[in-house]
Amino acid sequence: MEHEHLSSDPLRLKQVFINILSNAVKFTPEGGSITLTLEEFPAAKAGWGQFRFTFSDTGMGMSADFMAHIFDSFAREHDGRVDKTEGSGLGMAITKRIVDMMGGSITVRSTEGKGSTFVVYLSLRIEETPPCYPDLPPLRVLIADDDALMCEYAVQTLDALGLSAECAENGEDTVQRVIAAHEDGQDFDVLILDWKMPGADGLEVTRQIRARLGEALPILIASSYDWADIRKEALGAGANDFVSKPLFKSTLCHTLKRLVHGERQNDRRAGETPRYDFGGRRFLLVEDNLLNQEIAAELLSQAGATVDCAANGAEGCEKFALSSPGYYDLILMDVQMPVMNGYEATRRIRALPRKDARRVPIMAMTADAFAADIEKAREAGMDGHLAKPLDLQLMLRELERQL
Protein backbone atom coordinates (compact mmCIF):
# COMPACT_ATOMS: atom_id res chain seq x y z
CA MET A 1 0.00 0.00 0.00
CA GLU A 2 1.53 3.28 -1.14
CA HIS A 3 -0.80 5.87 0.41
CA GLU A 4 -2.08 5.93 3.99
CA HIS A 5 -3.73 9.37 4.08
CA LEU A 6 -7.11 9.00 2.42
CA SER A 7 -10.40 10.90 2.36
CA SER A 8 -13.54 8.92 3.13
CA ASP A 9 -16.38 8.56 5.64
CA PRO A 10 -14.56 6.99 8.63
CA LEU A 11 -17.76 6.18 10.51
CA ARG A 12 -19.24 4.19 7.63
CA LEU A 13 -15.91 2.54 6.84
CA LYS A 14 -15.53 1.42 10.45
CA GLN A 15 -19.07 0.07 10.41
CA VAL A 16 -18.22 -2.11 7.38
CA PHE A 17 -15.08 -3.39 9.11
CA ILE A 18 -16.85 -4.07 12.39
CA ASN A 19 -19.75 -5.92 10.76
CA ILE A 20 -17.49 -8.24 8.76
CA LEU A 21 -14.93 -8.83 11.49
CA SER A 22 -17.50 -9.39 14.24
CA ASN A 23 -19.10 -12.13 12.12
CA ALA A 24 -15.67 -13.68 11.59
CA VAL A 25 -15.06 -13.70 15.32
CA LYS A 26 -18.48 -15.18 16.11
CA PHE A 27 -18.20 -18.00 13.60
CA THR A 28 -14.52 -18.89 13.96
CA PRO A 29 -13.84 -21.41 16.75
CA GLU A 30 -11.01 -21.14 19.24
CA GLY A 31 -7.68 -21.86 17.61
CA GLY A 32 -8.83 -20.53 14.23
CA SER A 33 -7.47 -17.47 12.46
CA ILE A 34 -8.84 -14.22 11.02
CA THR A 35 -6.83 -12.19 8.52
CA LEU A 36 -7.40 -8.72 7.08
CA THR A 37 -5.24 -7.63 4.15
CA LEU A 38 -5.26 -4.27 2.37
CA GLU A 39 -3.96 -3.71 -1.14
CA GLU A 40 -3.79 -0.57 -3.26
CA PHE A 41 -4.13 -0.46 -7.04
CA PRO A 42 -4.01 2.46 -9.50
CA ALA A 43 -7.37 4.07 -10.18
CA ALA A 44 -8.58 5.47 -13.49
CA LYS A 45 -9.34 8.83 -11.86
CA ALA A 46 -6.39 11.09 -10.99
CA GLY A 47 -5.95 11.68 -7.26
CA TRP A 48 -7.80 8.49 -6.35
CA GLY A 49 -6.75 4.96 -5.44
CA GLN A 50 -8.48 1.61 -5.76
CA PHE A 51 -8.31 -0.36 -2.52
CA ARG A 52 -9.07 -4.03 -1.93
CA PHE A 53 -9.89 -5.14 1.63
CA THR A 54 -9.85 -8.93 2.06
CA PHE A 55 -11.31 -10.46 5.23
CA SER A 56 -10.53 -14.18 5.59
CA ASP A 57 -11.33 -16.59 8.40
CA THR A 58 -11.02 -20.31 9.06
CA GLY A 59 -14.47 -20.55 10.62
CA MET A 60 -17.47 -22.74 9.94
CA GLY A 61 -18.16 -21.33 6.49
CA MET A 62 -21.52 -21.15 4.68
CA SER A 63 -23.56 -23.31 2.37
CA ALA A 64 -23.92 -22.28 -1.27
CA ASP A 65 -27.66 -21.71 -0.81
CA PHE A 66 -27.17 -19.35 2.12
CA MET A 67 -24.29 -17.54 0.42
CA ALA A 68 -26.68 -16.47 -2.34
CA HIS A 69 -28.77 -14.59 0.27
CA ILE A 70 -26.05 -13.43 2.68
CA PHE A 71 -26.69 -9.75 1.86
CA ASP A 72 -30.48 -10.00 2.23
CA SER A 73 -32.13 -8.45 5.29
CA PHE A 74 -32.73 -10.83 8.21
CA ALA A 75 -30.73 -13.59 6.51
CA ARG A 76 -29.50 -16.21 9.00
CA GLU A 77 -28.47 -19.73 8.13
CA HIS A 78 -30.45 -22.51 9.83
CA ASP A 79 -27.63 -24.33 11.54
CA GLY A 80 -27.41 -25.48 15.14
CA ARG A 81 -24.02 -23.81 15.49
CA VAL A 82 -25.30 -20.49 14.10
CA ASP A 83 -28.46 -20.55 16.21
CA LYS A 84 -26.33 -20.30 19.35
CA THR A 85 -24.88 -16.93 18.31
CA GLU A 86 -26.55 -13.57 18.71
CA GLY A 87 -27.51 -11.42 15.74
CA SER A 88 -30.44 -9.87 13.91
CA GLY A 89 -29.45 -10.93 10.42
CA LEU A 90 -29.15 -7.27 9.35
CA GLY A 91 -25.38 -6.83 9.64
CA MET A 92 -24.35 -7.96 6.17
CA ALA A 93 -27.34 -6.29 4.52
CA ILE A 94 -26.28 -2.99 6.09
CA THR A 95 -22.68 -3.64 5.08
CA LYS A 96 -23.70 -4.18 1.45
CA ARG A 97 -25.82 -1.01 1.50
CA ILE A 98 -22.94 1.09 2.86
CA VAL A 99 -20.45 -0.29 0.33
CA ASP A 100 -22.90 0.39 -2.51
CA MET A 101 -23.46 3.95 -1.26
CA MET A 102 -19.68 4.48 -1.25
CA GLY A 103 -19.52 3.36 -4.88
CA GLY A 104 -17.76 0.10 -4.10
CA SER A 105 -18.46 -3.60 -4.31
CA ILE A 106 -18.46 -6.56 -1.92
CA THR A 107 -18.26 -10.27 -2.74
CA VAL A 108 -18.03 -13.43 -0.68
CA ARG A 109 -16.75 -16.95 -1.17
CA SER A 110 -17.06 -19.68 1.40
CA THR A 111 -16.73 -23.41 1.97
CA GLU A 112 -18.60 -25.18 4.74
CA GLY A 113 -16.22 -26.21 7.49
CA LYS A 114 -13.27 -24.32 6.00
CA GLY A 115 -14.11 -20.63 6.36
CA SER A 116 -15.21 -17.53 4.47
CA THR A 117 -13.59 -14.67 2.58
CA PHE A 118 -15.22 -11.28 2.03
CA VAL A 119 -13.63 -8.92 -0.49
CA VAL A 120 -14.49 -5.20 -0.51
CA TYR A 121 -13.38 -2.86 -3.31
CA LEU A 122 -13.50 0.90 -2.69
CA SER A 123 -12.21 3.92 -4.56
CA LEU A 124 -10.86 6.47 -2.09
CA ARG A 125 -9.50 9.96 -2.65
CA ILE A 126 -5.81 10.27 -1.84
CA GLU A 127 -4.75 13.09 0.45
CA GLU A 128 -1.29 14.61 0.25
CA THR A 129 0.97 12.79 2.70
CA PRO A 130 2.31 15.15 5.39
CA PRO A 131 6.11 15.28 5.40
CA CYS A 132 8.12 13.70 8.21
CA TYR A 133 9.55 16.60 10.23
CA PRO A 134 12.35 16.89 11.09
CA ASP A 135 14.02 14.83 8.38
CA LEU A 136 15.57 11.62 9.63
CA PRO A 137 19.33 11.08 9.30
CA PRO A 138 20.48 8.27 6.95
CA LEU A 139 19.96 5.45 9.44
CA ARG A 140 20.91 1.83 8.82
CA VAL A 141 18.09 -0.37 10.11
CA LEU A 142 17.83 -4.14 10.60
CA ILE A 143 14.32 -5.61 10.79
CA ALA A 144 13.67 -9.07 12.21
CA ASP A 145 10.34 -10.66 11.34
CA ASP A 146 9.51 -14.25 10.42
CA ASP A 147 6.74 -12.96 8.12
CA ALA A 148 8.64 -12.42 4.86
CA LEU A 149 5.89 -10.28 3.33
CA MET A 150 5.75 -8.01 6.39
CA CYS A 151 9.54 -7.69 6.42
CA GLU A 152 9.66 -6.80 2.74
CA TYR A 153 6.95 -4.19 3.21
CA ALA A 154 8.83 -2.66 6.16
CA VAL A 155 12.02 -2.43 4.10
CA GLN A 156 10.15 -0.67 1.28
CA THR A 157 8.57 1.73 3.77
CA LEU A 158 11.90 2.62 5.36
CA ASP A 159 13.51 3.02 1.92
CA ALA A 160 10.76 5.53 1.12
CA LEU A 161 11.84 7.49 4.21
CA GLY A 162 15.40 7.64 2.85
CA LEU A 163 16.78 4.97 5.18
CA SER A 164 18.82 1.85 4.49
CA ALA A 165 16.98 -1.26 5.70
CA GLU A 166 17.67 -4.99 5.70
CA CYS A 167 15.71 -8.06 6.78
CA ALA A 168 16.66 -10.90 9.11
CA GLU A 169 14.74 -14.17 8.92
CA ASN A 170 14.61 -15.04 12.61
CA GLY A 171 16.06 -14.29 16.03
CA GLU A 172 19.21 -16.35 15.64
CA ASP A 173 20.01 -14.77 12.27
CA THR A 174 19.45 -11.33 13.80
CA VAL A 175 21.95 -11.86 16.61
CA GLN A 176 24.59 -13.17 14.19
CA ARG A 177 24.16 -10.24 11.81
CA VAL A 178 24.25 -7.63 14.57
CA ILE A 179 27.44 -9.13 16.06
CA ALA A 180 29.07 -9.44 12.63
CA ALA A 181 28.24 -5.83 11.77
CA HIS A 182 29.71 -4.68 15.09
CA GLU A 183 32.92 -6.64 14.56
CA ASP A 184 33.28 -5.13 11.07
CA GLY A 185 32.79 -1.63 12.47
CA GLN A 186 29.55 -1.24 10.50
CA ASP A 187 27.01 -1.20 13.34
CA PHE A 188 23.32 -0.89 12.64
CA ASP A 189 21.76 2.36 13.89
CA VAL A 190 18.38 0.84 14.86
CA LEU A 191 17.06 -2.68 15.35
CA ILE A 192 13.33 -3.44 14.90
CA LEU A 193 12.34 -6.82 16.37
CA ASP A 194 9.04 -8.62 15.97
CA TRP A 195 7.80 -9.59 19.42
CA LYS A 196 6.53 -13.01 18.36
CA MET A 197 9.01 -15.09 16.34
CA PRO A 198 9.68 -18.85 16.39
CA GLY A 199 12.81 -19.82 18.26
CA ALA A 200 14.29 -16.73 19.87
CA ASP A 201 11.56 -14.08 20.01
CA GLY A 202 12.11 -10.33 20.05
CA LEU A 203 12.65 -10.11 23.79
CA GLU A 204 15.12 -12.98 23.86
CA VAL A 205 17.06 -11.43 20.98
CA THR A 206 17.12 -8.13 22.89
CA ARG A 207 18.55 -9.86 25.98
CA GLN A 208 21.27 -11.58 23.93
CA ILE A 209 22.31 -8.38 22.17
CA ARG A 210 22.38 -6.42 25.42
CA ALA A 211 24.56 -9.13 26.98
CA ARG A 212 27.00 -9.02 24.06
CA LEU A 213 27.03 -5.34 23.04
CA GLY A 214 25.60 -3.40 25.97
CA GLU A 215 23.16 -0.51 25.67
CA ALA A 216 24.46 1.31 22.59
CA LEU A 217 22.16 -0.12 19.89
CA PRO A 218 18.58 1.29 20.00
CA ILE A 219 16.04 -1.55 19.88
CA LEU A 220 12.34 -1.25 18.99
CA ILE A 221 9.85 -4.03 19.69
CA ALA A 222 7.21 -4.36 16.96
CA SER A 223 3.86 -5.93 17.79
CA SER A 224 0.17 -5.77 16.99
CA TYR A 225 -0.52 -6.36 20.69
CA ASP A 226 -1.18 -3.51 23.10
CA TRP A 227 2.10 -2.02 24.38
CA ALA A 228 0.71 -1.92 27.90
CA ASP A 229 0.50 -5.73 27.90
CA ILE A 230 4.19 -6.29 27.15
CA ARG A 231 5.78 -3.00 28.24
CA LYS A 232 7.26 -4.10 31.56
CA GLU A 233 8.79 -7.26 30.15
CA ALA A 234 10.12 -5.49 27.03
CA LEU A 235 11.77 -2.69 28.98
CA GLY A 236 13.17 -5.21 31.43
CA ALA A 237 14.75 -7.09 28.52
CA GLY A 238 16.46 -3.88 27.41
CA ALA A 239 14.20 -2.56 24.64
CA ASN A 240 14.13 1.19 24.12
CA ASP A 241 10.69 1.70 22.67
CA PHE A 242 7.74 0.15 20.86
CA VAL A 243 6.26 0.42 17.38
CA SER A 244 2.80 -0.92 16.57
CA LYS A 245 2.05 -3.17 13.61
CA PRO A 246 1.21 -2.81 10.80
CA LEU A 247 4.24 -0.61 10.21
CA PHE A 248 2.74 2.40 8.48
CA LYS A 249 5.15 5.03 7.18
CA SER A 250 3.92 7.72 9.55
CA THR A 251 4.11 5.37 12.55
CA LEU A 252 7.70 4.39 11.74
CA CYS A 253 8.63 8.00 11.06
CA HIS A 254 7.32 9.33 14.38
CA THR A 255 8.77 6.44 16.38
CA LEU A 256 12.23 6.75 14.81
CA LYS A 257 12.17 10.52 15.32
CA ARG A 258 11.42 9.96 18.98
CA LEU A 259 14.28 7.49 19.24
CA VAL A 260 16.85 9.42 17.22
CA HIS A 261 16.26 12.70 19.05
CA GLY A 262 16.92 11.15 22.42
CA GLU A 263 13.33 10.64 23.53
CA ARG A 264 13.92 7.09 24.75
CA GLN A 265 12.24 5.07 27.42
CA ASN A 266 13.92 6.23 30.62
CA ASP A 267 12.49 3.47 32.79
CA ARG A 268 14.15 0.57 31.01
CA ARG A 269 15.07 -1.56 33.98
CA ALA A 270 12.30 -3.75 35.32
CA GLY A 271 11.20 -2.58 38.73
CA GLU A 272 12.59 0.93 38.29
CA THR A 273 9.89 3.61 38.24
CA PRO A 274 11.10 7.12 37.38
CA ARG A 275 9.90 10.00 39.53
CA TYR A 276 8.40 13.12 38.03
CA ASP A 277 8.07 16.48 39.73
CA PHE A 278 5.83 19.12 38.17
CA GLY A 279 5.97 21.42 41.16
CA GLY A 280 5.38 25.03 40.09
CA ARG A 281 3.73 23.93 36.83
CA ARG A 282 0.12 24.74 35.97
CA PHE A 283 -1.84 22.57 33.53
CA LEU A 284 -5.19 23.18 31.85
CA LEU A 285 -7.14 19.91 31.62
CA VAL A 286 -9.98 20.00 29.06
CA GLU A 287 -12.15 16.89 29.53
CA ASP A 288 -15.94 16.49 29.42
CA ASN A 289 -16.12 13.17 31.29
CA LEU A 290 -16.17 14.19 34.96
CA LEU A 291 -14.79 10.86 36.20
CA ASN A 292 -11.90 10.94 33.71
CA GLN A 293 -11.34 14.58 34.61
CA GLU A 294 -11.17 13.79 38.32
CA ILE A 295 -8.78 10.87 37.82
CA ALA A 296 -6.41 12.77 35.52
CA ALA A 297 -6.41 15.84 37.78
CA GLU A 298 -5.60 13.68 40.82
CA LEU A 299 -2.73 11.90 39.04
CA LEU A 300 -1.23 15.20 37.92
CA SER A 301 -1.69 16.77 41.33
CA GLN A 302 0.19 13.86 42.92
CA ALA A 303 3.10 14.74 40.62
CA GLY A 304 3.06 18.29 42.02
CA ALA A 305 1.19 20.09 39.23
CA THR A 306 -1.59 22.63 39.74
CA VAL A 307 -4.52 21.65 37.52
CA ASP A 308 -7.37 23.81 36.22
CA CYS A 309 -10.25 21.99 34.53
CA ALA A 310 -12.63 22.79 31.69
CA ALA A 311 -15.63 20.67 30.66
CA ASN A 312 -15.47 21.23 26.89
CA GLY A 313 -13.39 22.85 24.18
CA ALA A 314 -15.21 26.18 24.28
CA GLU A 315 -14.68 26.48 28.04
CA GLY A 316 -11.04 25.52 27.62
CA CYS A 317 -10.52 28.22 24.98
CA GLU A 318 -12.16 30.78 27.25
CA LYS A 319 -10.01 29.87 30.27
CA PHE A 320 -6.83 30.08 28.24
CA ALA A 321 -7.86 33.37 26.59
CA LEU A 322 -8.65 34.97 29.97
CA SER A 323 -5.37 33.83 31.55
CA SER A 324 -2.26 35.97 31.54
CA PRO A 325 0.49 35.05 29.01
CA GLY A 326 2.58 32.14 30.25
CA TYR A 327 0.04 31.25 32.97
CA TYR A 328 -0.40 27.70 31.67
CA ASP A 329 2.63 25.51 31.05
CA LEU A 330 0.72 22.81 29.18
CA ILE A 331 -2.80 21.91 27.98
CA LEU A 332 -4.25 18.38 27.99
CA MET A 333 -7.06 18.32 25.44
CA ASP A 334 -9.66 15.59 25.09
CA VAL A 335 -10.58 15.13 21.43
CA GLN A 336 -14.25 14.08 21.52
CA MET A 337 -16.30 16.63 23.50
CA PRO A 338 -19.69 18.33 23.23
CA VAL A 339 -20.05 22.05 22.39
CA MET A 340 -16.57 22.15 20.81
CA ASN A 341 -14.21 19.24 20.13
CA GLY A 342 -10.52 19.22 20.93
CA TYR A 343 -9.33 19.76 17.37
CA GLU A 344 -11.36 22.95 16.94
CA ALA A 345 -10.42 24.18 20.42
CA THR A 346 -6.74 23.70 19.61
CA ARG A 347 -7.04 25.59 16.34
CA ARG A 348 -8.75 28.50 18.12
CA ILE A 349 -6.13 28.65 20.85
CA ARG A 350 -3.32 28.61 18.26
CA ALA A 351 -5.04 31.51 16.45
CA LEU A 352 -5.15 33.78 19.51
CA PRO A 353 -3.04 36.97 19.09
CA ARG A 354 -0.50 36.18 21.84
CA LYS A 355 2.88 34.48 21.71
CA ASP A 356 2.21 31.74 24.25
CA ALA A 357 -0.84 30.60 22.22
CA ARG A 358 1.50 29.34 19.53
CA ARG A 359 4.08 27.71 21.78
CA VAL A 360 2.17 26.26 24.75
CA PRO A 361 2.31 22.43 24.46
CA ILE A 362 -1.11 20.90 23.74
CA MET A 363 -1.50 17.13 24.23
CA ALA A 364 -4.36 15.22 22.61
CA MET A 365 -6.16 12.65 24.77
CA THR A 366 -8.18 10.08 22.83
CA ALA A 367 -8.98 6.39 22.58
CA ASP A 368 -8.22 6.58 18.84
CA ALA A 369 -4.52 5.80 18.65
CA PHE A 370 -4.11 4.96 14.97
CA ALA A 371 -1.47 6.73 12.91
CA ALA A 372 -4.18 8.71 11.08
CA ASP A 373 -5.60 9.97 14.40
CA ILE A 374 -2.14 11.02 15.57
CA GLU A 375 -1.59 12.89 12.31
CA LYS A 376 -5.00 14.58 12.60
CA ALA A 377 -4.03 15.86 16.05
CA ARG A 378 -0.75 17.20 14.67
CA GLU A 379 -2.54 18.97 11.82
CA ALA A 380 -4.83 20.70 14.33
CA GLY A 381 -1.77 22.12 16.09
CA MET A 382 -1.30 19.58 18.88
CA ASP A 383 2.20 18.64 20.00
CA GLY A 384 1.63 15.07 21.15
CA HIS A 385 -0.85 12.27 21.66
CA LEU A 386 -1.87 10.37 24.81
CA ALA A 387 -3.91 7.20 24.31
CA LYS A 388 -6.88 6.45 26.56
CA PRO A 389 -7.16 4.88 29.04
CA LEU A 390 -4.22 6.92 30.30
CA ASP A 391 -1.09 5.03 31.34
CA LEU A 392 0.29 7.03 34.28
CA GLN A 393 4.00 6.52 33.62
CA LEU A 394 3.67 7.03 29.88
CA MET A 395 1.64 10.19 30.45
CA LEU A 396 4.08 11.66 32.96
CA ARG A 397 7.08 10.83 30.78
CA GLU A 398 5.50 12.48 27.73
CA LEU A 399 4.53 15.59 29.71
CA GLU A 400 8.07 15.90 31.03
CA ARG A 401 9.39 15.59 27.49
CA GLN A 402 7.06 18.34 26.26
CA LEU A 403 8.10 20.65 29.09
Side-chain angles (χ1 to χ4, degrees), residues 214-237:
E215 306 290 320
L217 176 62
I219 298 177
L220 297 175
I221 297 296
S223 175
S224 55
Y225 288 80
D226 193 323
W227 173 227
D229 295 337
I230 63 173
R231 176 175 173 273
K232 184 176 181 180
E233 187 179 5
L235 297 180

Side-chain angles (χ1 to χ4, degrees), residues 141-144 148 150-152 154-155 165-169 173 177:
V141 184
L142 179 62
I143 306 160
M150 179 66 72
C151 209
E152 181 182 354
V155 168
E166 303 174 24
C167 273
E169 298 178 358
D173 180 41
R177 294 178 66 170

Side-chain angles (χ1 to χ4, degrees), residues 92-302:
M92 297 315 301
I94 293 172
T95 299
K96 176 71 163 59
R97 179 71 179 274
I98 293 173
V99 172
D100 288 345
M101 290 172 63
M102 296 178 75
S105 66
I106 180 170
T107 59
V108 60
R109 60 182 184 271
S110 183
T111 303
E112 286 189 274
K114 293 186 178 180
S116 303
T117 298
F118 288 84
V119 180
V120 176
Y121 281 95
L122 289 173
S123 292
L124 302 175
R125 185 160 58 85
I126 297 169
E127 297 287 348
E128 183 179 351
T129 302
C132 181
Y133 293 118
D135 289 336
L136 290 165
L139 302 173
R140 184 164 174 249
V141 184
L142 179 62
I143 306 160
D145 197 316
D146 60 302
D147 185 329
L149 186 61
M150 179 66 72
C151 209
E152 181 182 354
Y153 171 75
V155 168
Q156 293 174 354
T157 303
L158 290 169
D159 286 345
L161 290 172
L163 309 182
S164 173
E166 303 174 24
C167 273
E169 298 178 358
N170 53 53
E172 291 78 7
D173 180 41
T174 303
V175 174
Q176 292 174 8
R177 294 178 66 170
V178 168
I179 299 301
H182 178 71
E183 292 175 347
D184 292 341
Q186 300 290 328
D187 289 286
F188 289 99
D189 297 300
V190 178
L191 183 57
I192 302 177
L193 301 175
D194 185 30
W195 179 44
K196 291 291 189 182
M197 292 187 290
D201 64 14
L203 301 190
E204 177 57 30
V205 172
T206 300
R207 294 186 189 97
Q208 292 184 28
I209 290 174
R210 292 299 182 221
R212 298 282 295 274
L213 299 182
E215 306 290 320
L217 176 62
I219 298 177
L220 297 175
I221 297 296
S223 175
S224 55
Y225 288 80
D226 193 323
W227 173 227
D229 295 337
I230 63 173
R231 176 175 173 273
K232 184 176 181 180
E233 187 179 5
L235 297 180
N240 296 77
D241 212 330
F242 170 83
V243 59
S244 61
K245 297 174 72 173
L247 301 175
F248 288 113
K249 184 187 294 185
S250 60
T251 306
L252 279 170
C253 179
H254 288 298
T255 305
L256 290 173
K257 278 163 48 182
R258 188 166 68 239
L259 197 66
V260 167
H261 293 281
E263 301 157 14
R264 293 182 177 185
Q265 299 281 6
N266 58 6
D267 52 345
R268 177 181 299 159
R269 300 297 183 188
E272 289 185 5
T273 301
R275 295 182 179 181
Y276 299 90
D277 183 5
F278 296 125
R281 301 284 193 175
R282 183 179 293 274
F283 298 159
L284 175 58
L285 173 63
V286 187
E287 166 67 72
D288 66 300
N289 185 296
L290 294 180
L291 179 59
N292 289 343
Q293 184 186 108
E294 183 179 349
I295 292 172
E298 177 62 24
L299 294 175
L300 294 169
S301 296
Q302 289 179 6

Side-chain angles (χ1 to χ4, degrees), residues 66 69 72-76 88-91 93:
F66 178 70
H69 301 282
D72 295 346
S73 298
F74 305 107
R76 281 179 62 85
S88 64
L90 285 171

